[in-house]
Amino acid sequence: MFRKLALVSLLSLAACSQPARDVPMTQVAVAAPTAAQVVQDVRAIVEPCELASDRASGDIGLLVAAASPRDGARAAMAGAKSACLTAFGALQKAQAPGEVRDACLSAIYTRETLADTAIELLDGKAGPLAVTTLRYKADDQGAAGRACGAALARLDGREFAMAANPSRQ
C-alpha cells in the first residue's frame, strides 16, 4: 500500500510540473511585427481616409473661398467623414508605437473634423466663423498629415538603419 501511495504521489507531482519543452504551442509568444509591417499596416488604415478627403478637398476649397461647391459635394464630404471615423477606430486598435499612433490619429481626426465642419457649413448649421474655422482646420490637416508621414518615415528608416548596421543599438 505504501508503494502505491508513493507511486501515485510521484506521478501527480510529475503531472503538475511539466518541463518547458512540453509547453503547448498555443502558449508560445507571437513575434512582434517588424517596423516595416507596422508602417504598411498603418498606411493601409490611413489611406482610405486620405483618399476620401482628397476627393472632397476641391469642394471644401470652394466653401473656404465662399463659392458654391458642385453637386455631390455633400456626399464626398460625408464619405470623407465616414472613412476617417472608420480609420480612427482601426488605428486605435492597431499595433503601432505611440509616436506613430498619435501623429496619425491626429491626422485622421483633423481630416474628419474638416469634413464635418464643411458639412455643417453646407447644411447651414455652422456659425458665422465657420469659413475661418474651415481655413484653420485645412491648415491643421496639412500639418498633421505631414507629421504622420514623418513619424512613419522615421519608423521605417529606423528598421533599415538597424538592419544595415546592427552594432548601432
Side-chain angles (χ1 to χ4, degrees):
M1 172 111 181
F2 179 72
R3 278 186 170 172
K4 285 184 182 179
L5 229 97
L7 184 58
V8 168
S9 65
L10 284 175
L11 288 175
S12 65
L13 276 174
C16 291
S17 59
Q18 294 180 340
R21 70 184 188 306
D22 292 339
V23 174
M25 290 303 288
T26 57
Q27 294 180 5
V28 175
V30 177
T34 64
Q37 184 63 49
V38 170
V39 168
Q40 183 180 354
D41 292 348
V42 170
R43 283 190 177 141
I45 291 169
V46 173
E47 188 175 72
C49 172
E50 290 175 343
L51 293 174
S53 293
D54 289 347
R55 283 191 293 275
S57 66
D59 295 312
I60 292 172
L62 289 172
L63 283 174
V64 168
S68 296
R70 66 178 173 80
D71 290 338
R74 189 177 196 300
M77 293 172 198
K81 180 179 178 175
S82 176
C84 292
L85 284 171
T86 300
F88 193 87
L91 188 54
Q92 285 181 316
K93 297 174 187 171
Q95 286 186 346
E99 176 191 9
V100 170
R101 180 186 318 244
D102 293 346
C104 293
L105 282 173
S106 177
I108 291 168
Y109 177 75
T110 56
R111 287 177 183 273
E112 185 273 328
T113 59
L114 180 66
D116 188 50
T117 302
I119 291 168
E120 286 182 359
L121 190 60
L122 273 179
D123 292 346
K125 295 179 183 175
L129 296 176
V131 172
T132 303
T133 301
L134 210 54
R135 284 186 192 123
Y136 287 131
K137 286 184 179 190
D139 291 343
D140 291 347
Q141 172 202 325
R146 288 188 297 278
C148 174
L152 287 168
R154 280 190 300 275
L155 180 63
D156 204 19
R158 186 179 317 138
E159 179 184 60
F160 295 118
M162 288 194 304
N165 187 0
S167 63
R168 222 201 249 176
Q169 289 184 10

